[in-house]
Amino acid sequence: MIENNRNNQRPPAKAKAKGPAAVTFAKGLILTSIVFVVLLQFSAFHRYPGHRRKEQWDQYNNFRQVGLRREMLDGGSQRTHEYIMWSKDEAYFSECKRHFIRNETWGELHAPYVDKVQAKKILAKVNVPDLRIIPTLALLDKANVSSYSLEFMRSIPQPYIIKASHVSGGVARVFNNTYHCFKYCNNAKVLRLDHDAFTASQQQINEDINTEYETFGGETQYKYIRPRIIFEEDIISGGKTQTDVTYWWLTNGKPVFISHQCGERKENQQGFQMKRVFLSTDFRLLPITFNRDTCDDVMLDKPKSWNTQLQVATDIGKLFPGEVLRLDLYGGGEMVWLSEFTFTTGGCWKTFKPRVTDGLLYAVAHGKIPTESVTADYVQKLLSDDSWVVVSYDGHGERLSNFTGSYPSPVDMCMVLEDFVNPEQKQKRTRLYQSCIKESQKLIDYPVRCIITENNASMIRSFGTSTYLVGGIERLTNIDICASKYRQLQEKA
């Protein structure tokens, strides 16, 4: 278990399942906990570069409250406490860029889980019920990679995958006596399994095994992974799963949302190239986008293994209290297979839309939102909220559609206003954003929170309202409500 990098460290919960597999799983959790507790005395003082004293470590952990809570009314009935994101920096990817990227200590601690060889061994020892480990067929390292040959390729049972333990990319498939390197490769042609295929594969392998991947984006965990080339069973071509890898996003041990493949695979198209949608843990669509296109009007069939995937993700999450983790699983068949762990997705240089998605991961990881509160309904309501509204007008009183909208958080709303200012004028953009946030903080007790900008955001006004109905019958959008209220205030003035 990676020990919690917060002051409020908690031991992993006991496995609820019964039987020999569950007992072995529980023992694995205890054993893993003992091993990493030994690291606690070191990590607590040395997790972040330059932090060498306990009082400095405590100061780092004394995080400012991310979200305020208030009771909201929804159709006249009381619902759960609301989480409000007030800062762009209090988001997982922001934290990752500040504290995890180029962090030697953090990287070394997480390397065993990122290592595609070691991760299999760790999970096999923990023995998570209903989780299958993809069989490794062969391994090469720097000492024996020179023995790689066409005969070696032909001797391995097909279909199989070739990939490096310490690199993201260079992934190839051998199937039906063809070779196809399909993920970030020098040669992406589909080749017959002959001398040309071997030459292409050898060149890719030699490049990958000598790559210092951590130098590209500062993901130092890769520095502490022994360079090896893995040959493993291809469960997609072998028909054991019908979809590409599914990304389960976990925070503080809790599965929160999932990125799932949508659409049919075209010829030679790989899963990582396909469109994806985000889903709640109970398989409802969520309004999240990341770095892939989404499917329009998608109708997804819930995989037979969905509930098993959820339980597997929940069990594995117990190993990572206080952490944000992307757990990659194959679940397009009746069984669930481990793909890999990812802690710094995309080098942490992108983020989600809406930004409150990122804030949710951070807030749960830091104990600002209790994990037991983060149900599928909670996530759905949080991300679908439209109570934060900005309506912008130019100098002639005409509404500016590009700067008008409703959002699930004040951060998402106020970031829109930054585009009134040239990107090179960073200080001016920051001042405008901060002014918007300051005005928003006055509105937390209202069901609808309205920010009005006038004369191209040279002036910002704020007010809250609870008016949802016109004539007690027609439901207006929150944008209409704010615009109407603004006109009433102007008339009174």
Side-chain angles (χ1 to χ4, degrees):
M1 181 186 74
I2 292 183
E3 46 82 17
N4 195 343
N5 60 352
R6 323 292 176 215
N7 280 340
N8 59 338
Q9 181 175 350
R10 294 176 293 176
K14 294 181 181 179
K16 296 182 180 179
K18 297 181 179 179
V23 171
T24 306
F25 173 54
K27 290 181 178 178
L29 285 178
I30 295 171
L31 179 60
T32 310
S33 301
I34 293 172
V35 172
F36 278 94
V37 161
V38 176
L39 294 173
L40 179 60
Q41 297 302 315
F42 176 81
S43 296
F45 292 93
H46 301 271
R47 178 69 61 85
Y48 299 108
H51 288 218
R52 299 302 188 210
R53 300 171 53 122
K54 186 177 186 302
E55 58 264 35
Q56 291 174 304
W57 170 246
D58 290 339
Q59 183 179 10
Y60 171 78
N61 280 278
N62 187 24
F63 286 97
R64 181 164 60 88
Q65 180 75 18
V66 181
L68 301 178
R69 295 182 181 179
R70 67 180 181 86
E71 296 290 348
M72 296 194 304
L73 296 178
D74 184 15
S77 62
Q78 203 173 55
R79 61 174 175 168
T80 56
H81 290 285
E82 182 187 21
Y83 158 69
I84 301 178
M85 183 183 185
W86 291 112
S87 171
K88 289 186 288 187
D89 292 334
E90 291 170 339
Y92 167 68
F93 282 115
S94 296
E95 179 185 38
C96 178
K97 285 185 286 188
R98 294 194 309 271
H99 297 298
F100 305 153
I101 297 298
R102 296 182 176 84
N103 184 327
E104 296 283 342
T105 305
W106 185 93
E108 185 174 10
L109 188 64
H110 290 75
Y113 297 90
V114 180
D115 185 333
K116 297 177 180 67
V117 177
Q118 285 295 105
K120 290 184 181 184
K121 294 180 179 180
I122 292 171
L123 267 296
K125 288 181 180 178
V126 173
N127 193 20
V128 178
D130 297 318
L131 176 66
R132 302 299 181 94
I133 308 298
I134 299 175
T136 297
L137 307 176
L139 285 172
L140 294 176
D141 58 21
K142 289 186 176 181
N144 63 6
V145 71
S146 60
S147 65
Y148 188 54
S149 64
L150 178 58
E151 289 70 25
F152 181 96
M153 294 180 72
R154 287 174 171 169
S155 69
I156 299 176
Q158 299 181 31
Y160 63 87
I161 293 291
I162 308 172
K163 61 184 181 182
S165 63
H166 65 300
V167 169
S168 178
V171 183
R173 168 177 286 115
V174 177
F175 177 51
N176 284 342
N177 288 315
T178 61
Y179 168 85
H180 179 208
C181 192
F182 58 85
K183 185 176 181 181
Y184 310 134
C185 305
N186 295 325
N187 186 343
K189 294 180 180 179
V190 179
L191 303 170
R192 290 179 56 84
L193 193 57
D194 55 18
H195 180 74
D196 288 343
F198 165 70
T199 300
S201 178
Q202 184 182 46
Q203 290 175 348
Q204 188 68 54
I205 284 175
N206 286 337
E207 178 179 314
D208 290 344
I209 206 165
N210 291 295
T211 294
E212 296 179 352
Y213 190 72
E214 73 279 0
T215 62
F216 297 148
E219 297 174 273
T220 52
Q221 61 269 36
Y222 291 99
K223 179 179 179 180
Y224 297 96
I225 298 174
R226 177 185 169 191
R228 284 179 284 186
I229 304 298
I230 311 167
F231 298 79
E232 68 179 19
E233 182 181 342
D234 179 6
I235 61 173
I236 293 181
S237 299
K240 294 182 178 179
T241 182
Q242 280 70 53
T243 58
D244 194 69
V245 67
T246 299
Y247 303 138
W248 287 76
W249 286 87
L250 284 65
T251 176
N252 204 7
K254 178 83 171 185
V256 179
F257 51 79
I258 302 95
S259 172
H260 187 69
Q261 172 190 320
C262 60
E264 297 294 328
R265 178 183 284 108
K266 299 179 182 179
E267 185 178 2
N268 292 328
Q269 186 182 37
Q270 306 306 315
F272 80 99
Q273 300 167 320
M274 297 182 64
K275 296 179 178 180
R276 305 188 74 87
V277 292
F278 281 84
L279 302 166
S280 60
T281 54
D282 62 355
F283 209 75
R284 284 182 287 171
L285 288 173
L286 294 174
I288 305 174
T289 58
F290 190 50
N291 62 341
R292 292 284 180 267
D293 293 334
T294 59
C295 300
D296 297 327
D297 300 322
V298 62
M299 293 293 292
L300 293 175
D301 292 326
K302 185 177 180 179
K304 294 179 180 179
S305 68
W306 187 260
N307 291 337
T308 304
Q309 289 186 63
L310 175 58
Q311 187 58 55
V312 166
T314 301
D315 288 341
I316 291 177
K318 297 170 186 175
L319 298 171
F320 303 96
E323 298 277 326
V324 174
L325 163 69
R326 198 192 79 198
L327 172 65
D328 300 354
L329 298 175
Y330 289 102
E334 295 183 355
M335 296 177 288
V336 178
W337 302 81
L338 173 70
S339 175
E340 60 183 278
F341 296 102
T342 304
F343 295 92
T344 52
T345 297
C348 295
W349 63 276
K350 286 193 174 184
T351 188
F352 299 101
K353 290 183 180 180
R355 182 67 70 92
V356 73
T357 310
D358 203 352
L360 173 64
L361 293 175
Y362 176 96
V364 178
H366 286 270
K368 307 303 181 182
I369 304 175
T371 54
E372 59 270 17
S373 296
V374 188
T375 63
D377 282 341
Y378 182 95
V379 174
Q380 183 84 33
K381 290 177 181 178
L382 174 67
L383 300 180
S384 301
D385 181 35
D386 64 350
S387 65
W388 298 93
V389 180
V390 59
V391 183
S392 298
Y393 297 92
D394 63 15
H396 304 287
E398 295 294 325
R399 189 187 297 186
L400 301 171
S401 59
N402 290 344
F403 298 97
T404 295
S406 54
Y407 302 91
S409 79
V411 168
D412 286 287
M413 175 182 67
C414 293
M415 287 179 64
V416 172
L417 299 186
E418 290 182 316
D419 289 335
F420 268 114
V421 182
N422 189 303
E424 296 179 358
Q425 297 177 287
K426 294 182 180 180
Q427 291 185 350
K428 189 174 181 180
R429 287 169 66 93
T430 299
R431 286 196 299 270
L432 179 57
Y433 168 81
Q434 291 175 342
S435 296
C436 176
I437 291 292
K438 185 177 180 180
E439 290 296 320
S440 301
Q441 289 172 337
K442 303 174 184 178
L443 310 176
I444 60 173
D445 291 324
Y446 292 92
V448 182
R449 297 78 168 240
C450 307
I451 295 290
I452 305 294
T453 75
E454 300 172 332
N455 196 19
N456 297 315
S458 62
M459 181 178 294
I460 297 179
R461 302 177 185 272
S462 65
F463 55 85
T465 180
S466 58
T467 304
Y468 279 95
L469 304 176
V470 174
I473 300 175
E474 184 180 0
R475 171 72 159 85
L476 292 177
T477 68
N478 286 348
I479 295 173
D480 292 332
I481 291 170
C482 290
S484 176
K485 183 73 172 180
Y486 173 61
R487 288 193 296 269
Q488 292 175 14
L489 294 174
Q490 280 186 314
E491 291 171 0
K492 290 181 179 179

